[in-house]
Amino acid sequence: MSMTTPIVDFVRSYAKSGTARLHMPGHKGQSLLGFEPLDITEICGADELYAPEGIIAESEANATRLFGTAHSYYSTEGSSQCIRAMLFLALQGAPQNGKRPVLLAVRNAHKALLYAAALLDFDIRWLWPSAQAEGALCSCPVTAEALTGALHALAQQGISPFGVYVTSPDYLGGVQDIPALAAVCRAQGVPLLVDNAHGAYLRFLPQNCHPIAQGAAMCCDSAHKTLPVVTGGAYLHLAHDAPVQDEAAVRGALALFGSTSPSYLILQSLDACNAVLAGDDYPRRLVQCCVALEGLRRSLNKAAAARQCPVPLAVAGAQQEPMKLTLDAAALGCTGTALADALRRAQLECEYADPRYVVLMFTPENPPQDYTRLQATLEQLLAAVPAGLPRPENRAGEFAALQQQAVQRCTIRQAVLGAQVRIPVHKALGRVCAMPTVSCPPAIPVAVSGEEITPAAIVLMQRYGIEELSVLR
């Protein structure tokens, strides 16, 4: 597919034109780091991100065709901006019944959801993992049956949520059954909203697994996480049945949460990425990457079985996305953070590590030596595993306890905007969680703003290395 790159072409032409830059930014195109000649603002001819009629409109039209959506919009401020805009649009499109708006959302949501709830002042009812699910902060698998039950339970309380919000893929690589969840949402007349920050590439697999193709009404993608785009590049995708279709309304929603000075370096990166994705080479390289990772998983798990490790080293299965390699450190008898340190000593930097898991993110841009070095390092670690390691403890009970003890003391908005103080976690029992100041990754709060800090919350915070938190004064 032939693909134009209008933003890239304009900026490069401007950089070579010799025009006196009597406008922002202050570096005037003079190189300090090397990219400054290509760093411009919304000058004549460069179009405007939130009211595009020229090169940005053309570039977004290219992205829309590539992703097969009703419309794909650019963000230069990551998926966080898109999440807020998506929720704003869902609120705008919902019937107004005079009651406080309610969102039904998975519990492993990124803290950007809580910030959106604080800014837009809506309540959240949580979808929790089943009591049988293996406990992990980043995971919250939801079945169609569980979603149906939750929607019926809300209906019995006279609550009609303005959306169902899920994270898929999650930080550990788990994916939700989007087609089944979308079918439930359609039957109930509620839009399915997907945080697809980690899954932009899913559109370009041989079997299109992108949420929009699978029935989501809206979703966000962090282009920079899995595509060749610089940090901050993202998309807000609308399906043809999205609750709001008016382009001006969508632009307004994005502008509400975005800077009036969008980065043209990021816009050029999104624009150039269109040409990469449209080429015949990218799908082939993507498949090669997925095949190589599947081979690595099989090889590692075969070696782990030969060492009689208590669990497979590489997490695998139909509900895992193909471009994450998630390692279970319990196979080696250590913690995820210790395994990450061991990999770091071999000059292998992971994306995320927690008490049990290490997440490694690959793309077609990883050279072959990355795979070779990783396999050699892990095989060395496997060779040192002592015999007779015990099976890891199933900690699902800790999350079940968190759900059982959870009590909302005030709205998320009241908690986030209220007077706060930071205190040690061990002194927080009975206090009300304020700002969700968890680090990123994974940026998933144990306790949600407005909830009482319970014994179960303290146990989990301490296990995940959270030493302080913000509570209401």
Side-chain angles (χ1 to χ4, degrees):
M1 181 192 303
S2 178
M3 186 63 65
T4 60
T5 53
I7 303 175
V8 171
D9 296 345
F10 174 86
V11 176
R12 287 180 178 172
S13 176
Y14 183 72
K16 294 176 182 177
S17 69
T19 301
R21 299 192 181 200
L22 307 180
H23 56 76
M24 298 182 288
H27 56 64
K28 305 301 181 181
Q30 302 303 309
S31 289
L32 298 173
L33 297 174
F35 58 75
E36 287 85 355
L38 300 178
D39 183 33
I40 65 168
T41 188
E42 293 175 317
I43 59 173
C44 180
D47 213 355
E48 295 183 29
L49 180 56
Y50 301 124
E53 297 178 343
I55 59 176
I56 295 176
E58 180 183 343
S59 185
E60 284 189 344
N62 289 340
T64 298
R65 287 194 297 274
L66 281 167
F67 281 92
T69 63
H71 204 129
S72 294
Y73 297 84
Y74 288 162
S75 163
T76 62
E77 298 174 54
S79 280
S80 294
Q81 179 189 14
C82 298
I83 286 170
R84 293 169 191 137
M86 178 168 65
L87 291 163
F88 176 83
L89 291 168
L91 273 169
Q92 293 290 304
Q96 304 302 307
N97 55 18
K99 300 179 181 178
R100 281 189 60 78
V102 173
L103 178 74
L104 183 60
V106 289
R107 183 66 181 202
N108 66 334
H110 189 279
K111 64 182 178 182
L113 171 61
L114 297 185
Y115 294 157
L119 293 170
L120 298 170
D121 197 18
F122 60 79
D123 296 329
I124 303 176
R125 298 295 180 91
W126 297 106
L127 289 162
W128 294 81
S130 70
Q132 292 74 38
E134 189 79 14
L137 182 63
C138 295
S139 297
C140 187
V142 175
T143 64
E145 293 75 18
L147 176 58
T148 300
L151 288 169
H152 285 167
L154 289 178
Q156 290 175 348
Q157 301 170 43
I159 297 173
S160 179
F162 68 87
V164 170
Y165 181 99
V166 300
T167 303
S168 181
D170 63 35
Y171 233 109
L172 298 184
V175 293
Q176 304 280 6
D177 187 349
I178 298 297
L181 300 182
V184 171
C185 288
R186 277 194 298 273
Q188 300 292 326
V190 58
L192 178 62
L193 317 173
V194 182
D195 176 355
N196 184 55
H198 287 245
Y201 76 96
L202 296 173
R203 164 66 181 87
F204 305 98
L205 293 173
Q207 181 178 357
N208 183 354
C209 300
H210 194 268
I212 296 295
Q214 294 188 324
M218 292 188 283
C219 80
C220 67
D221 297 355
S222 286
H224 68 90
K225 286 184 167 64
T226 59
L227 301 180
V229 171
V230 299
T231 299
Y235 310 101
L236 173 61
H237 300 294
L238 271 64
H240 292 280
D241 61 349
V244 175
Q245 291 288 346
D246 180 68
E247 183 175 344
V250 181
R251 300 281 182 199
L254 286 162
L256 181 63
F257 301 106
S259 169
T260 54
S261 300
S263 166
Y264 269 77
L265 295 171
I266 296 174
L267 287 173
Q268 289 171 78
S269 185
L270 288 164
D271 186 46
C273 183
N274 287 338
V276 173
L277 299 177
D280 295 335
D281 192 46
Y282 180 78
R284 178 186 60 80
R285 292 192 301 120
L286 182 60
V287 168
Q288 288 178 337
C289 178
C290 294
V291 169
L293 282 172
E294 183 54 33
L296 183 55
R297 285 187 197 93
R298 286 197 300 266
S299 176
L300 292 174
N301 287 340
K302 183 178 179 181
R307 295 293 299 174
Q308 297 184 320
C309 294
V311 293
L313 176 57
V315 177
Q319 296 303 308
Q320 288 292 123
E321 61 153 310
M323 279 214 302
K324 274 199 183 84
L325 183 62
T326 301
L327 303 176
D328 189 342
L332 305 174
C334 65
T335 65
T337 50
L339 175 55
D341 287 339
L343 294 175
R344 202 167 285 121
R345 288 191 291 271
Q347 293 186 293
L348 293 157
E349 187 62 40
C350 71
E351 166 64 24
Y352 167 70
D354 69 17
R356 180 163 174 179
Y357 297 101
V358 171
V359 176
L360 308 171
M361 294 179 67
F362 284 77
T363 78
E365 314 312 318
N366 282 98
Q369 58 264 34
D370 288 356
Y371 298 85
T372 304
R373 181 185 299 174
L374 176 63
Q375 182 158 4
T377 301
L378 290 172
E379 287 178 350
Q380 289 177 359
L381 294 172
L382 279 168
V385 172
L389 287 176
R391 286 192 62 82
E393 180 184 358
N394 187 331
R395 295 184 174 270
E398 293 179 347
F399 291 87
L402 186 69
Q403 177 183 5
Q404 292 162 4
Q405 296 175 16
V407 177
Q408 195 79 20
R409 295 297 186 194
C410 64
T411 69
I412 294 172
R413 180 182 178 86
Q414 288 168 336
V416 168
L417 301 184
Q420 306 174 16
V421 61
R422 286 188 67 81
I423 62 173
V425 164
H426 69 271
K427 294 184 178 180
L429 184 64
R431 302 294 292 271
V432 176
C433 180
M435 184 74 75
T437 50
V438 290
S439 63
C440 186
I444 299 168
V446 173
V448 167
S449 303
E451 283 184 351
E452 181 180 315
I453 305 299
T454 64
I458 289 176
V459 167
L460 280 171
M461 287 181 193
Q462 291 174 333
R463 185 155 79 84
Y464 281 90
I466 301 170
E467 298 178 353
E468 289 186 339
L469 79 160
S470 295
V471 297
L472 292 181
R473 288 186 184 275

mmCIF file of all heavy atoms in Angstrom, residues 231-269:
data_model
loop_
_atom_site.group_PDB
_atom_site.id
_atom_site.type_symbol
_atom_site.label_atom_id
_atom_site.label_comp_id
_atom_site.label_asym_id
_atom_site.label_seq_id
_atom_site.Cartn_x
_atom_site.Cartn_y
_atom_site.Cartn_z
ATOM 1 N N THR A 231 8.388 8.229 22.114
ATOM 2 C CA THR A 231 7.583 8.236 23.326
ATOM 3 C C THR A 231 6.580 9.388 23.322
ATOM 4 O O THR A 231 6.935 10.537 23.050
ATOM 5 C CB THR A 231 8.498 8.340 24.556
ATOM 6 O OG1 THR A 231 9.363 7.203 24.572
ATOM 7 C CG2 THR A 231 7.687 8.371 25.841
ATOM 8 N N GLY A 232 5.337 9.048 23.634
ATOM 9 C CA GLY A 232 4.256 10.027 23.685
ATOM 10 C C GLY A 232 3.276 9.896 22.546
ATOM 11 O O GLY A 232 2.154 10.403 22.631
ATOM 12 N N GLY A 233 3.657 9.202 21.480
ATOM 13 C CA GLY A 233 2.751 9.036 20.347
ATOM 14 C C GLY A 233 1.666 8.016 20.655
ATOM 15 O O GLY A 233 1.950 6.917 21.121
ATOM 16 N N ALA A 234 0.412 8.376 20.404
ATOM 17 C CA ALA A 234 -0.709 7.488 20.721
ATOM 18 C C ALA A 234 -1.863 7.757 19.774
ATOM 19 O O ALA A 234 -1.865 8.747 19.020
ATOM 20 C CB ALA A 234 -1.156 7.688 22.170
ATOM 21 N N TYR A 235 -2.851 6.850 19.814
ATOM 22 C CA TYR A 235 -4.061 6.981 19.000
ATOM 23 C C TYR A 235 -5.296 6.847 19.873
ATOM 24 O O TYR A 235 -5.320 6.050 20.816
ATOM 25 C CB TYR A 235 -4.158 5.866 17.946
ATOM 26 C CG TYR A 235 -2.957 5.613 17.092
ATOM 27 C CD1 TYR A 235 -2.102 4.546 17.376
ATOM 28 C CD2 TYR A 235 -2.681 6.399 15.966
ATOM 29 C CE1 TYR A 235 -1.007 4.272 16.575
ATOM 30 C CE2 TYR A 235 -1.591 6.130 15.156
ATOM 31 C CZ TYR A 235 -0.749 5.057 15.473
ATOM 32 O OH TYR A 235 0.334 4.787 14.668
ATOM 33 N N LEU A 236 -6.334 7.599 19.520
ATOM 34 C CA LEU A 236 -7.687 7.338 19.991
ATOM 35 C C LEU A 236 -8.471 6.834 18.792
ATOM 36 O O LEU A 236 -8.617 7.535 17.786
ATOM 37 C CB LEU A 236 -8.335 8.606 20.549
ATOM 38 C CG LEU A 236 -9.820 8.478 20.929
ATOM 39 C CD1 LEU A 236 -10.016 7.442 22.023
ATOM 40 C CD2 LEU A 236 -10.388 9.831 21.360
ATOM 41 N N HIS A 237 -8.944 5.589 18.888
ATOM 42 C CA HIS A 237 -9.671 4.958 17.785
ATOM 43 C C HIS A 237 -11.162 4.910 18.091
ATOM 44 O O HIS A 237 -11.559 4.516 19.196
ATOM 45 C CB HIS A 237 -9.195 3.523 17.567
ATOM 46 C CG HIS A 237 -7.744 3.385 17.221
ATOM 47 N ND1 HIS A 237 -7.202 3.858 16.046
ATOM 48 C CD2 HIS A 237 -6.722 2.803 17.903
ATOM 49 C CE1 HIS A 237 -5.916 3.565 16.015
ATOM 50 N NE2 HIS A 237 -5.596 2.924 17.124
ATOM 51 N N LEU A 238 -11.988 5.266 17.118
ATOM 52 C CA LEU A 238 -13.440 5.164 17.230
ATOM 53 C C LEU A 238 -13.967 4.150 16.231
ATOM 54 O O LEU A 238 -13.570 4.166 15.055
ATOM 55 C CB LEU A 238 -14.108 6.516 16.974
ATOM 56 C CG LEU A 238 -14.323 7.442 18.169
ATOM 57 C CD1 LEU A 238 -12.998 7.876 18.781
ATOM 58 C CD2 LEU A 238 -15.141 8.652 17.762
ATOM 59 N N ALA A 239 -14.838 3.269 16.705
ATOM 60 C CA ALA A 239 -15.546 2.353 15.816
ATOM 61 C C ALA A 239 -16.765 3.064 15.236
ATOM 62 O O ALA A 239 -17.138 4.162 15.662
ATOM 63 C CB ALA A 239 -15.970 1.100 16.574
ATOM 64 N N HIS A 240 -17.400 2.423 14.281
ATOM 65 C CA HIS A 240 -18.563 3.036 13.634
ATOM 66 C C HIS A 240 -19.758 3.131 14.575
ATOM 67 O O HIS A 240 -20.696 3.890 14.295
ATOM 68 C CB HIS A 240 -18.927 2.258 12.369
ATOM 69 C CG HIS A 240 -17.903 2.392 11.278
ATOM 70 N ND1 HIS A 240 -17.833 3.494 10.449
ATOM 71 C CD2 HIS A 240 -16.885 1.575 10.908
ATOM 72 C CE1 HIS A 240 -16.830 3.349 9.603
ATOM 73 N NE2 HIS A 240 -16.241 2.198 9.850
ATOM 74 N N ASP A 241 -19.734 2.372 15.698
ATOM 75 C CA ASP A 241 -20.834 2.477 16.665
ATOM 76 C C ASP A 241 -20.399 3.184 17.946
ATOM 77 O O ASP A 241 -21.018 3.016 18.994
ATOM 78 C CB ASP A 241 -21.384 1.080 17.001
ATOM 79 C CG ASP A 241 -20.337 0.170 17.638
ATOM 80 O OD1 ASP A 241 -19.132 0.538 17.632
ATOM 81 O OD2 ASP A 241 -20.705 -0.898 18.156
ATOM 82 N N ALA A 242 -19.341 3.978 17.869
ATOM 83 C CA ALA A 242 -18.925 4.761 19.033
ATOM 84 C C ALA A 242 -20.052 5.694 19.458
ATOM 85 O O ALA A 242 -20.813 6.181 18.617
ATOM 86 C CB ALA A 242 -17.671 5.566 18.714
ATOM 87 N N PRO A 243 -20.174 5.973 20.779
ATOM 88 C CA PRO A 243 -21.306 6.780 21.256
ATOM 89 C C PRO A 243 -21.318 8.208 20.728
ATOM 90 O O PRO A 243 -22.367 8.837 20.667
ATOM 91 C CB PRO A 243 -21.150 6.747 22.775
ATOM 92 C CG PRO A 243 -19.743 6.320 23.025
ATOM 93 C CD PRO A 243 -19.354 5.464 21.885
ATOM 94 N N VAL A 244 -20.155 8.738 20.347
ATOM 95 C CA VAL A 244 -20.069 10.076 19.755
ATOM 96 C C VAL A 244 -19.243 9.950 18.487
ATOM 97 O O VAL A 244 -18.143 9.402 18.504
ATOM 98 C CB VAL A 244 -19.412 11.081 20.717
ATOM 99 C CG1 VAL A 244 -19.221 12.431 20.027
ATOM 100 C CG2 VAL A 244 -20.255 11.247 21.981
ATOM 101 N N GLN A 245 -19.772 10.452 17.369
ATOM 102 C CA GLN A 245 -19.073 10.372 16.089
ATOM 103 C C GLN A 245 -18.664 11.745 15.553
ATOM 104 O O GLN A 245 -17.816 11.828 14.671
ATOM 105 C CB GLN A 245 -19.965 9.680 15.052
ATOM 106 C CG GLN A 245 -20.198 8.201 15.305
ATOM 107 C CD GLN A 245 -18.974 7.351 15.026
ATOM 108 O OE1 GLN A 245 -18.015 7.789 14.410
ATOM 109 N NE2 GLN A 245 -18.996 6.111 15.508
ATOM 110 N N ASP A 246 -19.254 12.810 16.091
ATOM 111 C CA ASP A 246 -18.986 14.148 15.586
ATOM 112 C C ASP A 246 -17.518 14.503 15.776
ATOM 113 O O ASP A 246 -17.003 14.499 16.899
ATOM 114 C CB ASP A 246 -19.864 15.178 16.316
ATOM 115 C CG ASP A 246 -19.612 16.577 15.830
ATOM 116 O OD1 ASP A 246 -19.954 16.885 14.678
ATOM 117 O OD2 ASP A 246 -19.045 17.365 16.615
ATOM 118 N N GLU A 247 -16.830 14.801 14.681
ATOM 119 C CA GLU A 247 -15.387 15.037 14.752
ATOM 120 C C GLU A 247 -15.047 16.229 15.636
ATOM 121 O O GLU A 247 -14.077 16.191 16.402
ATOM 122 C CB GLU A 247 -14.808 15.235 13.353
ATOM 123 C CG GLU A 247 -13.301 15.419 13.376
ATOM 124 C CD GLU A 247 -12.686 15.499 11.990
ATOM 125 O OE1 GLU A 247 -13.359 15.120 11.009
ATOM 126 O OE2 GLU A 247 -11.528 15.931 11.901
ATOM 127 N N ALA A 248 -15.830 17.281 15.555
ATOM 128 C CA ALA A 248 -15.552 18.454 16.382
ATOM 129 C C ALA A 248 -15.643 18.112 17.869
ATOM 130 O O ALA A 248 -14.849 18.599 18.679
ATOM 131 C CB ALA A 248 -16.522 19.583 16.029
ATOM 132 N N ALA A 249 -16.601 17.251 18.227
ATOM 133 C CA ALA A 249 -16.743 16.858 19.626
ATOM 134 C C ALA A 249 -15.540 16.040 20.083
ATOM 135 O O ALA A 249 -15.055 16.201 21.210
ATOM 136 C CB ALA A 249 -18.028 16.060 19.813
ATOM 137 N N VAL A 250 -15.041 15.164 19.212
ATOM 138 C CA VAL A 250 -13.869 14.353 19.574
ATOM 139 C C VAL A 250 -12.638 15.235 19.699
ATOM 140 O O VAL A 250 -11.854 15.106 20.647
ATOM 141 C CB VAL A 250 -13.633 13.234 18.540
ATOM 142 C CG1 VAL A 250 -12.422 12.391 18.937
ATOM 143 C CG2 VAL A 250 -14.868 12.348 18.414
ATOM 144 N N ARG A 251 -12.462 16.146 18.742
ATOM 145 C CA ARG A 251 -11.325 17.076 18.838
ATOM 146 C C ARG A 251 -11.400 17.892 20.130
ATOM 147 O O ARG A 251 -10.403 18.127 20.801
ATOM 148 C CB ARG A 251 -11.332 18.034 17.648
ATOM 149 C CG ARG A 251 -11.230 17.389 16.288
ATOM 150 C CD ARG A 251 -9.839 16.997 15.942
ATOM 151 N NE ARG A 251 -9.789 16.410 14.605
ATOM 152 C CZ ARG A 251 -8.797 15.650 14.160
ATOM 153 N NH1 ARG A 251 -7.781 15.370 14.950
ATOM 154 N NH2 ARG A 251 -8.810 15.155 12.943
ATOM 155 N N GLY A 252 -12.615 18.313 20.463
ATOM 156 C CA GLY A 252 -12.783 19.081 21.693
ATOM 157 C C GLY A 252 -12.434 18.276 22.924
ATOM 158 O O GLY A 252 -11.828 18.794 23.875
ATOM 159 N N ALA A 253 -12.794 16.987 22.927
ATOM 160 C CA ALA A 253 -12.467 16.133 24.066
ATOM 161 C C ALA A 253 -10.962 15.967 24.205
ATOM 162 O O ALA A 253 -10.414 16.019 25.316
ATOM 163 C CB ALA A 253 -13.139 14.771 23.888
ATOM 164 N N LEU A 254 -10.264 15.767 23.092
ATOM 165 C CA LEU A 254 -8.810 15.640 23.155
ATOM 166 C C LEU A 254 -8.158 16.953 23.582
ATOM 167 O O LEU A 254 -7.214 16.966 24.381
ATOM 168 C CB LEU A 254 -8.274 15.191 21.788
ATOM 169 C CG LEU A 254 -8.532 13.724 21.437
ATOM 170 C CD1 LEU A 254 -8.375 13.500 19.938
ATOM 171 C CD2 LEU A 254 -7.597 12.810 22.217
ATOM 172 N N ALA A 255 -8.672 18.070 23.063
ATOM 173 C CA ALA A 255 -8.115 19.376 23.419
ATOM 174 C C ALA A 255 -8.324 19.689 24.888
ATOM 175 O O ALA A 255 -7.489 20.351 25.523
ATOM 176 C CB ALA A 255 -8.746 20.468 22.553
ATOM 177 N N LEU A 256 -9.436 19.192 25.447
ATOM 178 C CA LEU A 256 -9.731 19.447 26.853
ATOM 179 C C LEU A 256 -8.620 18.922 27.756
ATOM 180 O O LEU A 256 -8.331 19.503 28.804
ATOM 181 C CB LEU A 256 -11.065 18.779 27.221
ATOM 182 C CG LEU A 256 -11.564 18.936 28.652
ATOM 183 C CD1 LEU A 256 -11.830 20.401 28.983
ATOM 184 C CD2 LEU A 256 -12.835 18.108 28.846
ATOM 185 N N PHE A 257 -7.982 17.823 27.349
ATOM 186 C CA PHE A 257 -6.979 17.181 28.193
ATOM 187 C C PHE A 257 -5.573 17.271 27.605
ATOM 188 O O PHE A 257 -4.651 16.636 28.120
ATOM 189 C CB PHE A 257 -7.348 15.712 28.395
ATOM 190 C CG PHE A 257 -8.696 15.529 29.031
ATOM 191 C CD1 PHE A 257 -9.779 15.108 28.285
ATOM 192 C CD2 PHE A 257 -8.888 15.815 30.374
ATOM 193 C CE1 PHE A 257 -11.030 14.947 28.862
ATOM 194 C CE2 PHE A 257 -10.134 15.665 30.966
ATOM 195 C CZ PHE A 257 -11.207 15.233 30.207
ATOM 196 N N GLY A 258 -5.404 18.052 26.543
ATOM 197 C CA GLY A 258 -4.102 18.114 25.885
ATOM 198 C C GLY A 258 -3.501 19.502 25.918
ATOM 199 O O GLY A 258 -4.187 20.508 26.100
ATOM 200 N N SER A 259 -2.216 19.549 25.682
ATOM 201 C CA SER A 259 -1.500 20.817 25.596
ATOM 202 C C SER A 259 -1.862 21.535 24.301
ATOM 203 O O SER A 259 -2.122 20.903 23.272
ATOM 204 C CB SER A 259 0.008 20.563 25.644
ATOM 205 O OG SER A 259 0.729 21.738 25.323
ATOM 206 N N THR A 260 -1.836 22.864 24.335
ATOM 207 C CA THR A 260 -2.026 23.644 23.113
ATOM 208 C C THR A 260 -0.733 23.724 22.304
ATOM 209 O O THR A 260 -0.695 24.390 21.271
ATOM 210 C CB THR A 260 -2.504 25.073 23.448
ATOM 211 O OG1 THR A 260 -1.583 25.671 24.376
ATOM 212 C CG2 THR A 260 -3.895 25.055 24.052
ATOM 213 N N SER A 261 0.326 23.066 22.783
ATOM 214 C CA SER A 261 1.602 23.021 22.060
ATOM 215 C C SER A 261 1.992 21.568 21.796
ATOM 216 O O SER A 261 2.891 21.023 22.430
ATOM 217 C CB SER A 261 2.703 23.722 22.867
ATOM 218 O OG SER A 261 2.380 25.082 23.094
ATOM 219 N N PRO A 262 1.288 20.889 20.879
ATOM 220 C CA PRO A 262 1.622 19.490 20.605
ATOM 221 C C PRO A 262 3.006 19.366 19.977
ATOM 222 O O PRO A 262 3.441 20.236 19.220
ATOM 223 C CB PRO A 262 0.528 19.053 19.626
ATOM 224 C CG PRO A 262 0.103 20.317 18.961
ATOM 225 C CD PRO A 262 0.204 21.375 20.010
ATOM 226 N N SER A 263 3.679 18.280 20.292
ATOM 227 C CA SER A 263 5.031 18.053 19.785
ATOM 228 C C SER A 263 5.003 17.637 18.315
ATOM 229 O O SER A 263 4.440 16.600 17.969
ATOM 230 C CB SER A 263 5.725 16.968 20.615
ATOM 231 O OG SER A 263 6.892 16.519 19.961
ATOM 232 N N TYR A 264 5.657 18.429 17.477
ATOM 233 C CA TYR A 264 5.748 18.059 16.068
ATOM 234 C C TYR A 264 6.777 16.956 15.834
ATOM 235 O O TYR A 264 6.751 16.293 14.794
ATOM 236 C CB TYR A 264 6.035 19.284 15.196
ATOM 237 C CG TYR A 264 4.760 19.922 14.715
ATOM 238 C CD1 TYR A 264 4.005 20.718 15.557
ATOM 239 C CD2 TYR A 264 4.279 19.679 13.435
ATOM 240 C CE1 TYR A 264 2.813 21.280 15.137
ATOM 241 C CE2 TYR A 264 3.088 20.234 12.998
ATOM 242 C CZ TYR A 264 2.364 21.029 13.858
ATOM 243 O OH TYR A 264 1.171 21.567 13.439
ATOM 244 N N LEU A 265 7.669 16.742 16.768
ATOM 245 C CA LEU A 265 8.552 15.586 16.661
ATOM 246 C C LEU A 265 7.736 14.301 16.779
ATOM 247 O O LEU A 265 7.933 13.342 16.027
ATOM 248 C CB LEU A 265 9.628 15.642 17.749
ATOM 249 C CG LEU A 265 10.615 16.807 17.657
ATOM 250 C CD1 LEU A 265 11.482 16.861 18.907
ATOM 251 C CD2 LEU A 265 11.478 16.682 16.412
ATOM 252 N N ILE A 266 6.790 14.283 17.722
ATOM 253 C CA ILE A 266 5.940 13.102 17.901
ATOM 254 C C ILE A 266 4.990 12.957 16.723
ATOM 255 O O ILE A 266 4.764 11.847 16.218
ATOM 256 C CB ILE A 266 5.174 13.188 19.236
ATOM 257 C CG1 ILE A 266 6.160 13.175 20.414
ATOM 258 C CG2 ILE A 266 4.191 12.035 19.376
ATOM 259 C CD1 ILE A 266 5.521 13.406 21.768
ATOM 260 N N LEU A 267 4.416 14.069 16.247
ATOM 261 C CA LEU A 267 3.521 13.992 15.094
ATOM 262 C C LEU A 267 4.244 13.456 13.860
ATOM 263 O O LEU A 267 3.696 12.642 13.111
ATOM 264 C CB LEU A 267 2.929 15.369 14.801
ATOM 265 C CG LEU A 267 1.870 15.878 15.784
ATOM 266 C CD1 LEU A 267 1.488 17.318 15.468
ATOM 267 C CD2 LEU A 267 0.634 14.985 15.760
ATOM 268 N N GLN A 268 5.486 13.880 13.668
ATOM 269 C CA GLN A 268 6.256 13.339 12.540
ATOM 270 C C GLN A 268 6.494 11.847 12.707
ATOM 271 O O GLN A 268 6.468 11.085 11.731
ATOM 272 C CB GLN A 268 7.600 14.061 12.443
ATOM 273 C CG GLN A 268 7.515 15.489 11.961
ATOM 274 C CD GLN A 268 8.850 16.187 12.108
ATOM 275 O OE1 GLN A 268 9.757 15.989 11.296
ATOM 276 N NE2 GLN A 268 8.992 16.984 13.154
ATOM 277 N N SER A 269 6.733 11.417 13.930
ATOM 278 C CA SER A 269 6.971 9.999 14.180
ATOM 279 C C SER A 269 5.728 9.170 13.868
ATOM 280 O O SER A 269 5.810 8.102 13.247
ATOM 281 C CB SER A 269 7.400 9.797 15.636
ATOM 282 O OG SER A 269 7.741 8.465 15.895
#
